[in-house]
């Protein structure tokens, strides 16, 4: 069912000195495709295309099975007119020759994404390698007839004041991917200072880009490490998209992520064939995020067309954690920054005309008046145990739609420390 009218038109110039492009990719963890067959790739691609995603950035580690998944991935992409580009996971010990071989093999695919006519290559991390490494990588590819645009995510570069230094240190890179799409261990919203500094750094250094901006809905990890974390993400999925659209206007938006279940920022459906190990299922299974794609579809259309989409159906996307942050759990460890998230149910309304959104959790209730378009509100958790949120759209005194969360919020017991939200939709 169409959620809103898609506005057709020419893409507008984001940076007229570079290229007319507004593309949206999703960061795809190839490590989670171990059990994938062709139909799994086709299903993920269809789900991504349905909301306007243009392609996947294939986060690839040094594992033989990951590279072995490329033929199915590109075959499915080619069949669907979907785009792919390689994002090397440089936390692994990649040999430069193997990187060259992988890019050379797939750069000729009609589904390999081109930036300014060049095959786009990105990374996660990679600033442990010096500029000679990256210059040699590009040169060796050029010798094989493959010209690339290199836009890495050097994750040690987050400070806005270091943008000029980074581009002067790495003279071989063409653009930049700002991975940091969550606040940095603070109880405050993320700003666009890093985005704007590194975006400007591309132009100042005379590089061709692209500037890739990460947009993410959440960040939580509890895999038994000594420094696992949660970041303040309560309303991140809304305001980060709006920063991309209204403030940064990047060349490419990269959603982080499609399927990184372990860090809780997946927007895909949970594929039951994926082996998540021993611990991640304790906070992933049953915590669906698919309804976040409804919000993404709205914002992707806005980003690509420059026009606010017209909403044609009343809907409310909601999300909440299943346990209050102060609860003591039977297993796991309390993550870093556990005090930051609000114990609340959040509701994002998408309305055809003004209405009141009512939120009820046991003895806790709240409402907010929402105009046509989008709005956000929340209600605190109840002090009562085992209460399930109820979300309603009320117009002219009549409840026109209502929905109930699929999990009750437990204030008395918790099997494993879990700051991963459940996401649902009233439609």
């Amino acid at each position: 069912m169409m959620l809103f009218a898609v506005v057709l038109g020419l893409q507008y110039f984001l940076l007229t000195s570079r290229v007319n492009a507004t593309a949206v990719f999703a960061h795809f963890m190839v490590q989670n495709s171990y059990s994938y067959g062709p139909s799994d790739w086709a299903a993920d691609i269809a789900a991504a295309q349905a909301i306007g995603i243009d392609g996947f950035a294939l986060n690839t580690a040094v594992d033989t099975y990951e590279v072995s998944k490329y033929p199915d991935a590109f075959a499915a992409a080619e069949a669907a007119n979907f785009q792919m580009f390689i994002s090397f996971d440089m936390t692994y010990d990649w040999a430069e020759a193997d990187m060259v071989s992988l890019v050379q093999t797939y750069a000729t695919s009609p589904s390999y994404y081109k930036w300014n006519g060049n095959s786009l290559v990105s990374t996660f991390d990679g600033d442990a390698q010096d500029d000679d490494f990256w210059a040699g990588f590009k040169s060796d590819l050029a010798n094989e007839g493959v010209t690339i645009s290199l836009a890495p995510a050097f994750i040690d570069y987050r400070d806005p004041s270091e943008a000029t230094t980074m581009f002067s240190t790495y003279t071989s890179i063409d653009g930049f991917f700002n991975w940091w799409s969550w606040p940095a261990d603070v109880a405050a919203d993320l700003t666009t200072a890093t985005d704007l500094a590194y975006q400007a750094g591309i132009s100042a250094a005379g590089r061709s880009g692209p500037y890739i901006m990460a947009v993410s809905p959440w960040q939580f990890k509890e895999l038994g490490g000594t420094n696992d974390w949660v970041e303040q993400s309560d309303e991140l999925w809304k305001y980060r998209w709006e920063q991309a659209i209204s403030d940064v206007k990047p060349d490419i938006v990269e959603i982080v992520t499609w399927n990184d279940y372990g860090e809780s920022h997946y927007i895909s459906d949970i594929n039951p064939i994926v082996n998540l190990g021993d611990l991640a299922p304790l906070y992933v299974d049953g915590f669906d995020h698919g309804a976040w794609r409804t919000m993404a579809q709205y914002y992707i259309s806005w980003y690509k067309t420059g026009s606010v989409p017209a909403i044609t159906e009343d809907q409310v996307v909601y999300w909440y954690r299943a346990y209050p942050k102060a609860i003591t759990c039977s297993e796991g460890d309390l993550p870093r920054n556990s005090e930051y998230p609000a114990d609340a149910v959040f509701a994002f309304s998408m309305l055809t005309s003004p209405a009141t959104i009512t939120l009820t959790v046991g003895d806790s209730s709240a409402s907010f008046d929402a105009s046509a378009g989008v709005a956000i509100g929340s209600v605190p958790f109840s002090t009562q145990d085992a209460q399930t949120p109820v979300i309603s759209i009320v117009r002219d005194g009549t409840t026109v739609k209502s929905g109930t969360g699929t999990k009750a919020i437990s204030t008395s017991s918790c099997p494993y420390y879990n700051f991963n939200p459940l996401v649902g939709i009233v439609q």
Side-chain angles (χ1 to χ4, degrees):
M1 179 178 295
M2 290 299 294
L3 302 181
F4 48 82
V6 178
V7 182
L8 299 177
L10 292 175
Q11 293 179 328
Y12 61 103
F13 283 91
L14 289 179
L15 293 174
T16 56
S17 62
R18 293 192 212 159
V19 67
N20 178 19
T22 50
V24 177
F25 281 77
H27 200 79
F28 187 102
M29 305 299 291
V30 182
Q31 69 179 29
N32 285 333
S33 69
Y34 180 83
S35 300
Y36 267 38
S39 63
D40 297 291
W41 286 105
D44 276 346
I45 287 169
Q49 282 186 315
I51 63 168
I53 292 174
D54 298 294
F56 289 149
L58 298 173
N59 186 102
T60 309
V62 184
D63 292 303
T64 302
Y65 82 83
E66 294 194 29
V67 173
S68 75
K69 296 299 175 180
Y70 268 55
D72 283 349
F74 273 88
E78 290 171 9
N81 194 26
F82 194 67
Q83 302 292 291
M84 303 281 201
F85 67 83
I86 298 170
S87 181
F88 288 102
D89 190 333
M90 299 303 294
T91 62
Y92 293 79
D93 189 18
W94 272 101
E96 189 254 2
D98 292 336
M99 295 168 64
V100 168
S101 176
L102 189 60
V103 174
Q104 182 186 5
T105 300
Y106 290 97
T108 56
S109 167
S111 281
Y112 200 101
Y113 181 71
K114 302 296 192 294
W115 171 261
N116 280 346
N118 301 327
S119 299
L120 178 62
V121 175
S122 188
T123 70
F124 172 75
D125 210 351
D127 47 279
Q129 285 74 21
D130 61 17
D131 190 58
D132 288 343
F133 175 91
W134 294 111
F137 171 62
K138 292 179 69 177
S139 176
D140 289 344
L141 277 167
N143 290 338
E144 299 297 333
V146 179
T147 304
I148 68 169
S149 290
L150 179 62
F154 289 166
I155 60 174
D156 285 342
Y157 288 94
R158 184 172 192 169
D159 187 334
S161 68
E162 295 181 339
T164 300
T165 299
M166 190 202 71
F167 285 105
S168 62
T169 300
Y170 291 94
T171 59
S172 62
I173 68 174
D174 305 292
F176 187 68
F177 171 28
N178 176 26
W179 174 259
W180 296 112
S181 46
W182 316 271
D185 294 339
V186 294
D189 286 352
L190 179 67
T191 74
T192 59
T194 297
D195 295 294
L196 296 174
Y198 286 84
Q199 182 185 51
I202 292 172
S203 295
R207 312 294 168 83
S208 59
Y211 180 71
I212 306 174
M213 177 179 175
V215 174
S216 186
W218 204 264
Q219 177 62 269
F220 163 66
K221 178 182 178 182
E222 169 45 334
L223 292 177
T226 58
N227 197 29
D228 286 339
W229 63 83
V230 62
E231 296 293 359
Q232 172 55 276
S233 307
D234 290 341
E235 298 184 8
L236 178 64
W237 194 224
K238 176 181 185 290
Y239 78 75
R240 185 64 173 162
W241 270 111
E242 292 171 359
Q243 288 175 341
I245 292 164
S246 300
D247 189 6
V248 181
K249 302 180 177 68
D251 299 313
I252 296 171
V253 166
E254 187 164 329
I255 295 169
V256 178
T257 60
W258 183 255
N259 65 336
D260 191 340
Y261 304 108
E263 293 194 355
S264 305
H265 41 60
Y266 51 96
I267 66 167
S268 69
D269 296 332
I270 300 169
N271 191 326
I273 71 169
V274 176
N275 182 354
L276 296 178
D278 297 327
L279 297 180
L282 299 178
Y283 61 89
V284 172
D285 287 351
F287 287 80
D288 297 324
H289 289 183
W292 266 335
R293 296 201 300 274
T294 297
M295 293 174 62
Q297 185 177 21
Y298 174 85
Y299 284 117
I300 289 169
S301 177
W302 188 357
Y303 165 69
K304 287 185 174 183
T305 67
S307 299
V308 178
I311 294 172
T312 59
E313 180 185 2
D314 291 328
Q315 298 182 102
V316 179
V317 179
Y318 61 87
W319 56 95
Y320 63 94
R321 304 188 328 276
Y323 310 98
K325 57 191 175 185
I327 197 171
T328 299
C329 299
S330 301
E331 294 185 46
D333 297 302
L334 193 65
R336 184 177 85 239
N337 308 325
S338 62
E339 68 274 20
Y340 294 162
D343 285 341
V345 178
F346 292 85
F348 176 87
S349 62
M350 304 174 67
L351 300 179
T352 60
S353 61
T356 298
I357 309 301
T358 64
L359 310 170
T360 304
V361 189
D363 60 1
S364 180
S365 62
S367 64
F368 63 95
D369 292 329
S371 59
V374 303
I376 195 166
S378 64
V379 61
F381 286 177
S382 172
T383 57
Q384 299 172 313
D385 188 30
Q387 298 300 306
T388 303
V390 178
I391 302 95
S392 301
I393 304 172
V394 180
R395 184 174 288 121
D396 299 326
T398 300
T399 298
V400 295
K401 289 185 178 181
S402 183
T404 303
T406 58
K407 287 184 181 293
I409 298 169
S410 174
T411 60
S412 62
S413 63
C414 165
Y416 192 84
Y417 282 102
N418 184 356
F419 284 72
N420 184 24
L422 180 144
V423 186
I425 189 168
V426 176
Q427 59 183 350

